Amino acid sequence: MYNYAVISILWGRFVVAKIPAHIFREYDIRGLAEEELTSENVELIALAYGTWLVRSGVTKAALGGDVRLSTSRIKAALAKGLLAAGVDVVDLGVTSTPTFYWSFFRCDADGGIQVTGSHNPKEFNGLKVAFKKATLWGDAIQNIYRMIEADDFAVAKIPGKFSSLDITDEYINMLASKVQLGNRKLKIVCDYGNGAGGCYGPKLFRKLGCEVVDLFAEPDGNFPNHHPDPTKRGNLLSLMEAVTREGADAGFGYDGDADRLGVVDDKGNMLVGDRLMALYWREILAKNPGAVAICEVKSSMALPEDVEKHGGKPLWWCAGHSLIKAKMAEQNALFSGEVSGHLFFADEYFGYDDAFYAAERLCRILSNSDRKLSDIMEEIPQYPATAETRYDCPDDKKRGVVDKFKEQALAENLNVITVDGARIIYKNGWGLVRISNTQPVLVARCEGRTKEALADICADMKRRLLNAGSPAFEWEF
């Protein structure tokens, strides 16, 4: 579906915009940079968002962006649209997404847009849209599109004012002030993947007193060494090799906008986000016994088991960083995260996902222990599991498949967690299916206490999915 809108812009020309509806996603606005996030489309998005801000009583917005080749152009188009709506724009320059989040506190801005393609291929880019220290999601994102459809804009008689502010050093100093390391001096390796993280990490970890080996720290939107997605093992091979070669205590990998963290232990093993969360929860629960631990529905059963073992109260919740942050606010939760490496600390931090802060917290745990990270992680089980298997299923069909799957499981009186799709609890493991909020795919995953249990669960889950009308698929491992 496309909307064709013709609007009169303050600077005296007409813009004909052709905006695809599908770029307005559940958590952000995202698409092909040169085909879908054209300057005309982006100006129109900014004008609609700026109009909404002004009507909401907000007249100041921060504007940041990662190092992708299209980011500067998109930022310039956003500034035009926001200024035309009467919104003052504070340009933060090149920023990580966490730095952009911190600007809400530093710049006293109740609106803002971060231009970032995050972990997606380099031909993509996106807009993370904010309001009052939180990012918009769901219907709030769709409302911007509805305003464009309805030509519901307000061009201000007096345009907003433009200013620039570099808060990079202030942000690094703020991070360094949040964590004090113990007596054990650490050696770490950091792989920035040529993303925005290279603007921060080299200074930060040396300021903390670590011995640091930096990989691919020079920002480069071509990402010449590997794609900046630390959730994929193939993107961590250089980090794994460097950690073992250097005899480092840990390795940290960052995505393009430094809000996701990947971790490698001292033996070069990749640590997945749910097992990492169990480790963080041990430190938090020691100070906050009985705390509610929000667990993403895709997480290993090792996470709630370890949380309960250390006195916490697991609470299953939906996947998606905006949904988890909203639930954290509702529950006054101290910490949560996603398998994908988004980690939200609200016990001693601001509650948003910041890969550098998460890395600092792990450094603090290690610097106060005489044990190696690999030894500590041996206490947290790593059960046999599939990968997060994503396979094609049309948007007009995927919800029906999951609903039928869920109905059949409940009709059999099975133990099913239904907060996000359906997670069947088996005697020796679990199986999950849920719809993707961002793509025409189904997402499935299984875990068993043994390889034999996993095989049985995979077979039963696949049978149930096919009976519910799912397209054929194969499990990924």
Side-chain angles (χ1 to χ4, degrees):
M1 180 178 180
Y2 289 86
N3 175 68
Y4 293 84
V6 182
I7 60 172
S8 180
I9 297 292
L10 184 65
W11 48 89
R13 65 185 179 86
F14 287 92
V15 175
V16 179
K18 178 181 179 182
I19 299 186
H22 68 260
I23 69 173
F24 294 81
R25 309 290 185 109
E26 181 71 8
Y27 312 120
D28 55 21
I29 301 170
R30 181 170 14 110
L32 292 166
E34 303 306 325
E35 298 174 22
E36 296 169 331
L37 293 178
T38 64
S39 295
E40 291 78 11
N41 285 352
V42 170
E43 286 180 39
L44 199 57
I45 291 168
L47 184 62
Y49 168 63
T51 298
W52 179 78
L53 283 181
V54 172
R55 290 173 181 170
S56 302
V58 175
T59 57
K60 185 178 182 180
L63 184 58
D66 64 16
V67 304
R68 291 181 180 243
L69 303 180
S70 58
T71 292
S72 295
R73 171 186 62 77
I74 291 173
K75 281 182 63 183
L78 287 170
K80 286 184 180 181
L82 290 169
L83 294 169
V87 177
D88 294 341
V89 173
V90 181
D91 184 1
L92 304 174
V94 174
T95 60
S96 70
T97 293
T99 312
F100 167 71
Y101 291 154
W102 185 63
S103 74
F104 304 153
F105 303 88
R106 166 61 178 81
C107 303
D108 192 30
D110 281 333
I113 300 177
Q114 168 77 355
V115 182
T116 177
S118 186
H119 62 289
N120 291 297
K122 65 180 182 180
E123 63 267 22
F124 285 84
N125 215 325
L127 314 176
K128 292 185 177 179
V129 186
F131 179 66
K132 292 189 175 179
K133 298 182 175 64
T135 49
L136 299 184
W137 60 279
D139 190 64
I141 293 286
Q142 296 305 315
N143 185 56
I144 296 174
Y145 180 72
R146 288 193 293 267
M147 290 178 67
I148 297 171
E149 278 193 307
D151 294 346
D152 184 14
F153 312 104
V155 176
K157 293 181 180 179
I158 301 176
K161 298 178 181 178
F162 182 88
S163 61
S164 298
L165 180 66
D166 186 348
I167 60 174
T168 301
D169 288 339
E170 288 183 63
Y171 170 70
I172 292 171
N173 291 335
M174 179 277 294
L175 280 174
S177 72
K178 290 290 183 180
V179 171
Q180 182 174 354
L181 300 188
N183 293 327
R184 176 183 167 192
K185 185 177 177 63
L186 299 178
K187 182 175 185 179
I188 62 173
V189 181
C190 292
D191 182 346
Y192 309 102
N194 301 109
C199 301
Y200 307 95
K203 289 183 179 180
L204 170 64
F205 290 109
R206 288 173 175 85
K207 186 178 286 287
L208 289 174
C210 296
E211 182 181 351
V212 188
V213 177
D214 293 315
L215 301 178
F216 317 133
E218 182 179 356
D220 185 341
N222 287 303
F223 307 125
N225 293 287
H226 63 76
H227 187 66
D229 180 359
T231 67
K232 304 294 185 184
R233 189 179 187 280
N235 295 326
L236 294 178
L237 296 180
S238 295
L239 180 61
M240 293 173 175
E241 190 276 331
V243 167
T244 55
R245 182 187 70 239
E246 298 288 338
D249 295 292
F252 300 113
Y254 303 89
D255 68 346
D257 61 334
D259 59 0
R260 295 188 185 206
L261 179 67
V263 176
V264 171
D265 71 14
D266 52 284
K267 292 184 177 179
N269 300 311
M270 176 182 176
L271 304 182
V272 182
D274 42 12
R275 294 180 71 236
L276 269 178
M277 282 184 267
L279 178 58
Y280 288 124
W281 268 119
R282 292 181 174 191
E283 181 189 49
I284 294 168
L285 287 168
K287 301 175 183 178
N288 303 276
V292 172
I294 297 171
C295 299
E296 182 195 32
V297 72
K298 295 184 293 183
S299 299
S300 167
M301 55 191 167
L303 173 58
E305 288 173 355
D306 205 73
V307 164
E308 288 184 326
K309 181 179 178 181
H310 290 84
K313 300 176 182 177
L315 174 65
W316 290 109
W317 195 240
C318 310
H321 64 90
S322 296
L323 298 173
I324 291 177
K325 282 187 277 190
K327 193 66 173 178
M328 287 180 67
E330 175 193 302
Q331 295 284 326
N332 290 318
L334 300 174
F335 171 65
S336 189
E338 294 186 274
V339 177
S340 60
H342 290 281
L343 299 161
F344 315 101
F345 291 87
D347 60 334
E348 302 176 29
Y349 201 56
F350 300 98
Y352 56 74
D353 36 341
D354 187 328
F356 285 114
Y357 181 73
E360 283 186 305
R361 288 289 289 258
L362 184 53
C363 286
R364 186 171 77 181
I365 292 171
L366 293 176
S367 69
N368 284 291
S369 172
D370 58 2
R371 302 173 64 195
K372 293 183 177 181
L373 179 56
S374 57
D375 292 336
I376 297 172
M377 293 305 297
E378 283 183 358
E379 299 173 356
I380 303 170
Q382 187 168 9
Y383 296 117
T386 68
E388 185 180 66
T389 301
R390 306 171 72 89
Y391 63 95
D392 294 340
C393 187
D395 280 327
D396 60 357
K397 184 179 180 181
K398 63 185 184 183
R399 187 173 297 276
V401 171
V402 173
D403 286 345
K404 187 173 181 181
F405 176 96
K406 184 190 310 182
E407 290 168 4
Q408 292 174 344
L410 291 171
E412 296 176 34
N413 293 317
L414 299 180
N415 184 1
V416 186
I417 296 169
T418 59
V419 294
D420 184 3
R423 175 173 170 139
I424 297 178
I425 307 301
Y426 294 86
K427 180 180 179 180
N428 289 308
W430 57 272
L432 168 74
V433 63
R434 56 180 291 273
I435 65 170
S436 168
N437 289 315
T438 59
Q439 295 174 295
V441 302
L442 288 176
V443 183
R445 189 185 183 204
C446 299
E447 184 179 56
R449 295 192 183 278
T450 64
K451 291 182 179 179
E452 293 75 18
L454 176 62
D456 291 342
I457 291 169
C458 286
D460 188 62
M461 283 289 295
K462 186 170 184 178
R463 175 185 65 80
R464 290 177 178 277
L465 283 166
L466 294 176
N467 286 343
S470 167
F473 71 97
E474 295 298 329
W475 291 108
E476 297 177 8
F477 292 90

